[in-house]
Amino acid sequence: MQRKELQIFSGNANRQLARAIAGHLGVPLGNCDVKRFPDGEIDLKVTDDVRGADVFIVQSTCPPVNEHLMELLLMIDTMRRASAQRITAVLPYFGYARKDRKDEGRVPISAKLVANLITTAGADRVLTIDLHASQIQGFFDIPVDHLYAKPVFLEHFRKMAEGNDLAVVAPDVGSVKMARAYADELKAGLAIVTKRRISPTETETGHVIGEVKDKRVIIIDDMISTAGSICEAARAVIGKGASSVILAATHAVFCGPALERIHSAEIEKLVVTDTIPHVMEPGSRIHVLSIGQLLARAVQRIHRSESVSILFKSFNP
Ligand code: R5P
């Protein structure tokens, strides 16, 4: 069955990225006013006709997380009641992902609850990037297209791949798989920093496993929250004689002391994507790569019922 019309809508979380996606696809961004009632409740109105349409709602559940999540749920509900034919929730950043298991007594599995909420609201599919844990895909009983920001970062790092003094470093054991994938592509060495979390904002770095002496190091993580993990890892590899350090992370959550930590770290630069919007000052050491084209390609392929995984075999922006 030919789907009627592809329509892209955005909540307030990342309109800039939604506009970029719509721009790459050559469609206008749908009209949806997301406002607040005086008591803080969300007031929402879609002014475009979406009956029978293939609707994509772009909304990162970044801070303020609960606000953005609720906006997303209400937008999905609105589209369903307005008879959209299919609704895809596009979450460039999927918040609440770090609580993906019951690792102690009497705690929620927040990622599962959020998956249930999105499904119950009426989403037919989910499109997201670099989930904190890929098993979260299984928390949904609807299709999840899980993209990787890797092609966008590799394009940026490709020039560095010359020479045999490059090492990709995982700032903790959880990031090893991701770091290994980058190391393989860049034909670089791989090292791991062991980390112990002391509190939500503090980490303690243990050992550096692998060779970093005199190496140009790229430390890669899925997200930066308070920047404790990645900056501690930078300190550890510098302590072991790394010649230079570049930090990279898909999701720049940047909360609490993050920016202060990044600016005082002995690094060349930090490279992030625009899954979460930030305004960078001119001359900032933080370099933002856009994920818009990758997402646009995925949206187009989903709309046409074409393979999405092919995007990772070749990517020529
Ligand atoms: C941890 O498992 C994640 O991959 C990140 O390393 C972590 O969430 C980053 O948090 P922070 O920046 O606060 O250290």
Side-chain angles (χ1 to χ4, degrees), residues 206-255:
H207 305 284
V208 179
I209 304 164
E211 196 48 66
V212 294
K213 188 164 168 39
D214 298 327
K215 301 271 185 194
R216 293 173 296 139
V217 162
I218 300 173
I219 305 180
I220 181 92
D221 207 347
D222 63 324
M223 63 188 286
I224 293 178
S225 177
T226 64
S229 309
I230 209 155
C231 290
E232 277 295 308
R235 223 150 52 113
V237 296
I238 290 164
K240 291 287 176 190
S243 59
S244 64
V245 178
I246 291 178
L247 307 180
T250 308
H251 308 297
V253 183
F254 290 168
C255 45

Side-chain angles (χ1 to χ4, degrees), residues 3-266:
R3 291 194 185 278
K4 210 174 131 196
E5 193 190 345
L6 186 160
Q7 294 187 7
I8 313 277
F9 288 87
S10 178
N12 284 321
N14 199 342
R15 275 188 189 275
Q16 207 178 311
L17 179 59
R19 253 183 242 116
I21 296 169
H24 285 298
L25 292 166
V27 299
L29 192 61
N31 290 303
C32 175
D33 281 341
V34 187
K35 299 184 290 201
R36 294 287 178 277
F37 285 112
D39 61 0
E41 288 180 3
I42 294 164
D43 179 16
L44 194 155
K45 171 87 183 157
V46 174
T47 50
D48 290 336
D49 177 12
V50 294
R51 187 174 292 271
D54 191 12
V55 167
F56 292 78
I57 305 170
V58 181
Q59 179 81 333
S60 280
T61 47
C62 53
V65 184
N66 298 338
E67 291 284 314
H68 289 151
L69 176 61
M70 195 63 197
E71 279 184 9
L72 173 66
L73 298 175
L74 290 173
M75 287 181 77
I76 296 171
D77 182 75
T78 306
M79 299 300 178
R80 187 168 54 97
R81 292 176 194 282
S83 304
Q85 188 183 103
R86 184 172 68 174
I87 303 160
T88 302
V90 182
L91 291 103
Y93 169 67
F94 185 101
Y96 276 118
R98 279 178 291 178
K99 239 21 197 142
D100 64 348
R101 65 191 176 283
K102 214 177 146 187
D103 52 3
E104 57 180 312
R106 300 184 296 279
V107 295
I109 304 182
S110 315
K112 173 62 181 153
L113 175 65
V114 170
N116 286 348
L117 290 171
I118 291 171
T119 310
T120 304
D124 297 295
R125 320 180 55 92
V126 168
L127 171 60
T128 188
I129 302 175
D130 283 344
L131 279 169
H132 178 65
S134 41
Q135 64 267 23
I136 292 170
Q137 290 170 77
F139 292 3
F140 290 91
D141 284 327
I142 53 176
V144 176
D145 287 300
H146 184 198
L147 306 183
Y148 303 97
K150 196 175 73 167
V152 177
F153 278 113
L154 285 179
E155 198 59 36
H156 183 79
F157 289 134
R158 197 75 73 187
K159 297 189 264 324
M160 292 182 66
E162 287 151 23
N164 55 3
D165 62 340
L166 188 65
V168 178
V169 172
D172 58 28
V173 174
S175 316
V176 173
K177 207 172 156 203
M178 186 180 194
R180 195 180 52 207
Y182 279 78
D184 287 351
E185 293 274 358
L186 295 169
K187 306 208 179 340
L190 175 67
I192 302 157
V193 177
T194 61
K195 166 181 111 179
R196 194 167 69 90
R197 187 163 281 290
I198 303 165
S199 74
T201 56
E202 302 292 331
T203 60
E204 190 181 77
T205 299
H207 305 284
V208 179
I209 304 164
E211 196 48 66
V212 294
K213 188 164 168 39
D214 298 327
K215 301 271 185 194
R216 293 173 296 139
V217 162
I218 300 173
I219 305 180
I220 181 92
D221 207 347
D222 63 324
M223 63 188 286
I224 293 178
S225 177
T226 64
S229 309
I230 209 155
C231 290
E232 277 295 308
R235 223 150 52 113
V237 296
I238 290 164
K240 291 287 176 190
S243 59
S244 64
V245 178
I246 291 178
L247 307 180
T250 308
H251 308 297
V253 183
F254 290 168
C255 45
L259 288 173
E260 199 185 312
R261 282 174 172 170
I262 292 160
H263 288 128
S264 52
E266 283 180 56

Side-chain angles (χ1 to χ4, degrees), residues 278-301:
H278 290 286
V279 180
M280 295 304 162
E281 285 170 14
S284 164
R285 282 192 300 172
I286 304 176
H287 190 96
V288 183
L289 304 177
S290 183
I291 213 83
Q293 189 178 28
L294 178 66
L295 274 171
R297 287 179 175 202
V299 165
Q300 193 168 53
R301 298 192 79 85

Side-chain angles (χ1 to χ4, degrees), residues 41 265 271 308 312:
E41 288 180 3
V271 188
V308 169
F312 304 105

